[in-house]
């Protein structure tokens, strides 16, 4: 018999035919059941990331895994050749992983993806699944503004079966190693970037139910598919009974886990991870097991969490309990649970969870622990249930706080070294008078409405010596503390971002400043008027002054300024002098529109100026009309406390109450400011009368306060002005008719007064209010819009002053445009004014001769400026200003380039400082040379940003 040769290709085809003929599909062997991509930054200096693709497939599948394409989002790809690691999990599922490393060339946002053919055949909620590519993507954001970042990792494998008519739950167990906040939402599965799978239907679509309105587990409503946006629980209540593969149906679902970081009070999305997963639904009589999990916990760093979790099964089957989550992944001491590895037990079954927390675990967000229970029926699919336990770890309170009076009306604080070395800063909080705070059960930081004010936040370590900082001197920013006031302090430790976190507040310590200067006790609004307003100012004399050094009788001067916190542009003015009494009534004021601030200066019997009181303002009431209600807020800047637990109530007065005298102000309510703050909402509840939309209501507030000093009266009673508002006010005010900028376009004179190298400018804006009688006069504040580019789309609000002027300070440029709007008490905003602009006047003057002879005078070729050229009688208006970039070249008379300079690439920047050597480092001989300078300047009009300067320069030696 002759030897025969069989084509290997024919053998391969035959094997595939045999395999498929044996009915691989009948055992539901799939290619990829689920997958996701996670990322880890592995180099702090370069933009290098390690990406991990994690896929899940049936362990019995004969289809090769890893023949896909990994795209890095920057046009680079890796195709096949992945180092595949296969790990058996459970339920005849195996986890398949590979890792790839990639370095990006620039900061940006990148969408990384993995795609592989094919999904398995017969997925019920999409069309033509067998010819549909499996595709997942994740996004990373590389931005120095946010610092280093890693994506969350998904700790719970998607390997569980669902049962027809039984609620299904899955939680991915997402954990962010950086402590960032996570949110969850559904997305449609994709087959490519921007391309969804064909004809996708949500898993609870009515077409999958024989009786759609009995689709839930209780058989009394339509099926629901939800995803908890905070905890990440995917719940399907419940899978439908219309199956497409005998007693089985396969569904696909996808969701994203978005990552958020708070920076400077604003939330930014740092990327996302997509999980695309299959859920296999089977018919079964099995019932889901149940879990008993404790209430969410709050623990202080250093405490140990010990909990027992119980699992039961209504069918009496054995159960297996498992735990996943952040506490198992953290640095330092990680959590444990027993039995591990998990085994079937009971029923009931028990899991012992233990976690010894430490300071490194402190963060704002709670840690999530996902507990999972799985039953073990004799036949049919195993069913599961999940419960999530939240554990918040907070910092311990600072200890050992002490205070002592110092000279100069100051108080020194000392405390023990803080226990947590990873804490970033210590907050110093101050108020007048004691205030009881119960610091427990995750009420970290300083509670709202306690009357405490944050006066400073200092680093934990000295930046030079790196020794712990454990003391602080409070001198009220050099102004001295208020005479007579009892100052109380507490500390709060803070932890670094992105995890963040705060400690419990420390115990309280208090000390009193002696009354060796006048102590203002009243700034009481007697009359509200635009022209005839009156305020009563009262003060206590310096009871505790040394009368031998400073003999009585005393005389007083009274000073006043406008506003709750007067700016430097509104200095205090002397309004009364030589007063022998301790009370003064200020008249002729616009108390309708303004708050007023006062202080008192005093002299002894010999006319010697001794000292001054602290400053104190009137109570200012602000109204915000709403729909059928009016919101009240009030404030005062005073040296005493208006949040006093012994006198907690502030009183609300209103007109339109008494039918016989609608103008009379009547007490309608009181507010406990120790719990509610300086806020009140009038919706008519006090007399069960809804506020009328065509009625103007007027209000006043009476505040109570105290110095907490037995030598001074209490409570201190002070009234606000009367403020009026109308509910549901929708009429905006008129825009300011005139806006001006001081020294607008007089750039040269501004620069002449600025030394070379200065880049700190101020734009002084002012405007007028519209006095037209048709314009509402209830303006609350103004919005100042600014764009440095001059482009309309770049306008943004930079300030909200209540006055008709604004100083835009600390500018590095004079270039920019402004628009102003008026906003009334109801939040209605006027139209914007016409824009008003100022522009830079760039200066760049080059000399025509220099002498590179090392005599220290004119040794380099540079634009004119005093520092480098030692020019006598130099005019500062001639130094370089508003120049962004310079390209400078030097040629000989034949046109050959001898020297080239680019400011962007050189540390000398725009100053050039050419030493007369050619580009080969050789000194050029004395002579005349030609230069060309391409200069980019910073001005509003893009057409004017390019200058070309050229001419002859002479080298003298």
């Amino acid at each position: 018999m002759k030897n025969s040769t069989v084509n290997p290709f024919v053998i391969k085809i035959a094997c595939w035919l045999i395999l498929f003929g044996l009915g691989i599909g009948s055992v539901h062997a799939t290619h990829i059941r689920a997958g996701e991509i996670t990322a880890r930054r592995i180099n702090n200096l370069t933009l290098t990331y390690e990406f991990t693709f994690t896929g899940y497939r049936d362990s019995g599948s004969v289809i090769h895994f890893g023949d896909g394409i990994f795209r890095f989002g920057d046009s680079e790809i890796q195709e096949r050749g992945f180092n595949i690691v296969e790990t058996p999990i459970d339920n005849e599922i195996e986890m398949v992983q590979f890792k790839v490393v990639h370095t990006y060339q620039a900061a940006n946002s990148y969408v990384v993806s993995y795609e592989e053919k094919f999904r398995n055949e017969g997925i019920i909620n999409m069309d033509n699944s067998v010819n549909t590519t499996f595709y997942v993507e994740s996004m990373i954001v590389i931005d120095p503004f946010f610092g280093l970042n890693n994506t969350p990792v998904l700790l719970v494998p998607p390997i569980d079966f669902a049962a027809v008519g039984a609620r299904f739950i899955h939680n991915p167990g997402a954990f962010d190693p950086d402590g960032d906040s996570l949110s969850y939402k559904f997305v449609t599965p994709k087959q490519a970037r921007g391309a969804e799978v064909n004809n996708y239907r949500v898993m609870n679509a009515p077409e999958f139910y024989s009786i759609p309105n009995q689709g839930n587990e209780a058989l009394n409503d339509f099926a629901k598919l939800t995803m908890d946006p905070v905890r990440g629980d995917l719940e399907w209540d419940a899978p439908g009974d219309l199956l497409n593969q005998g007693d089985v149906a396969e569904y696909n679902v996808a969701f994203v886990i978005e990552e958020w970081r708070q920076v400077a009070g604003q939330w930014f999305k740092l990327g996302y991870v997509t999980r695309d997963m299959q859920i296999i639904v089977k018919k079964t009589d099995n019932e889901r097991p149940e879990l008993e999990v404790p209430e969410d916990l709050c623990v202080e760093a250093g405490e140990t969490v010990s909990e027992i979790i119980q699992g039961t099964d209504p069918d009496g089957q054995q159960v297996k309990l498992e735990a996943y989550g952040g506490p198992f992944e953290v640095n330092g001491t990680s959590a444990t649970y027993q039995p591990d590895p998990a085994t079937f037990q009971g029923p009931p079954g028990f899991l012992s969870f233990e976690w010894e927390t430490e300071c490194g675990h402190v963060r704002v967000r709670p840690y999530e622990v996902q507990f999972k229970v799985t039953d073990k029926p004799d036949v049919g699919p195993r069913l599961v249930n999940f419960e999530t336990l939240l554990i918040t770890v907070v910092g311990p309170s600072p200890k050992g706080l002490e205070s002592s009076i110092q000279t100069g009306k100051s108080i020194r604080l000392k405390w023990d070294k803080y226990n947590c070395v990873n804490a970033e800063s210590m907050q110093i909080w101050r108020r007048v008078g004691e205030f009881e705070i119960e610091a427990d059960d995750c009420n970290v930081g300083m509670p709202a409405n306690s009357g405490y004010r944050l006066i400073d936040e200092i680093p934990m370590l000295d930046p030079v010596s790196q020794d712990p900082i454990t003391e602080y001197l409070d001198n009220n920013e050099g102004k001295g503390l208020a005479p007579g006031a009892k100052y109380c302090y507490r500390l709060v430790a803070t932890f670094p971002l992105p995890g963040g976190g705060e400690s419990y507040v420390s115990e309280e310590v208090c000390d009193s400043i002696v009354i060796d200067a006048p102590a203002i006790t009243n700034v009481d609004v007697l009359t509200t008027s635009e022209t005839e307003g009156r305020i009563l100012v009262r003060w206590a004399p310096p009871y505790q002054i040394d009368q031998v050094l400073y003999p009585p009788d005393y005389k007083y001067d009274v000073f006043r300024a406008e506003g709750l916190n007067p700016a430097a542009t509104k200095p205090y003015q002397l309004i009364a002098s030589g007063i022998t009494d301790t009370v003064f009534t200020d008249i002729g004021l616009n108390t309708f529109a303004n708050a007023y601030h006062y202080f008192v200066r005093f002299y002894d019997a010999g006319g010697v100026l001794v000292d001054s009181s602290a400053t104190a303002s009137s109570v200012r009431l602000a109204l915000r009309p709403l729909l059928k209600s009016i919101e009240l807020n009030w404030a005062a800047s005073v040296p005493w406390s208006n949040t006093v637990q012994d006198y907690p109530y502030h009183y609300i007065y209103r007109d339109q109450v008494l039918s016989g005298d609608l103008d009379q102000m009547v007490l309608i309510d009181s507010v406990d400011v120790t719990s509610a703050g300086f806020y009140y909402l009038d919706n008519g509840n006090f007399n069960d009368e809804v506020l009328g939309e065509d009625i103007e209501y007027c209000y006043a507030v009476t505040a109570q306060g105290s110095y907490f000093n037995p030598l001074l009266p209490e409570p201190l009673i002070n009234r606000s002005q009367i403020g009026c508002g109308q509910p549901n006010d929708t009429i905006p005010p008129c825009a300011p008719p005139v806006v001006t900028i001081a020294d607008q376009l007089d750039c040269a004179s501004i620069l002449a007064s600025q030394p070379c190298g200065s880049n700190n400018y101020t734009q002084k804006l002012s405007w007028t209010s519209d006095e037209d009688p048709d314009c509402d006069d209830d303006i609350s504040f103004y919005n100042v819009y600014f764009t440095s580019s001059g482009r309309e789309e770049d306008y943004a609000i930079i300030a909200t002053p209540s006055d008709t002027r604004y100083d835009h300070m600390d500018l590095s440029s004079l270039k920019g445009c402004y628009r102003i709007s008026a906003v009334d008490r109801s939040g209605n905003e006027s139209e914007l004014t016409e824009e008003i602009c100022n522009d830079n006047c760039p200066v760049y003057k080059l000399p025509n001769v220099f002498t590179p002879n090392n005599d220290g005078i004119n040794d380099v070729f540079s634009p004119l400026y005093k520092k480098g050229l030692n020019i006598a009688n130099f005019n500062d208006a001639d130094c370089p200003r508003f120049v962004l970039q310079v390209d400078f070249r030097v040629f000989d008379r034949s046109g050959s380039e001898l020297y080239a300079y680019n400011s962007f690439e050189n540390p000398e920047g725009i100053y050039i400082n050419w030493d007369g050597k050619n580009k080969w480092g050789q000194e050029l001989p004395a002579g005349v040379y030609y230069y060309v300078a391409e200069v980019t300047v910073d001005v509003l009009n893009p057409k004017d940003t390019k200058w070309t300067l050229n001419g002859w320069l002479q080298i003298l030696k």
Side-chain angles (χ1 to χ4, degrees), residues 365-383:
R365 290 186 60 248
Y367 292 87
E368 298 179 1
V369 185
Q370 287 82 26
F371 293 103
K372 175 183 176 182
V373 60
T374 307
D375 66 7
K376 189 179 181 182
D378 295 331
V379 294
R382 297 175 179 175
L383 300 183

Side-chain angles (χ1 to χ4, degrees), residues 333-347:
T333 306
S334 57
T336 61
Y337 72 88
Q338 297 294 331
D340 184 20
T343 58
F344 283 98
Q345 52 176 304

Side-chain angles (χ1 to χ4, degrees), residues 153 213 525 824 849:
V153 293
N213 61 358
V525 179
D824 66 17
V849 63

Side-chain angles (χ1 to χ4, degrees), residues 153-165:
V153 293
L154 279 56
L155 303 175
V156 179
I159 61 174
D160 303 308
F161 292 95
V164 170

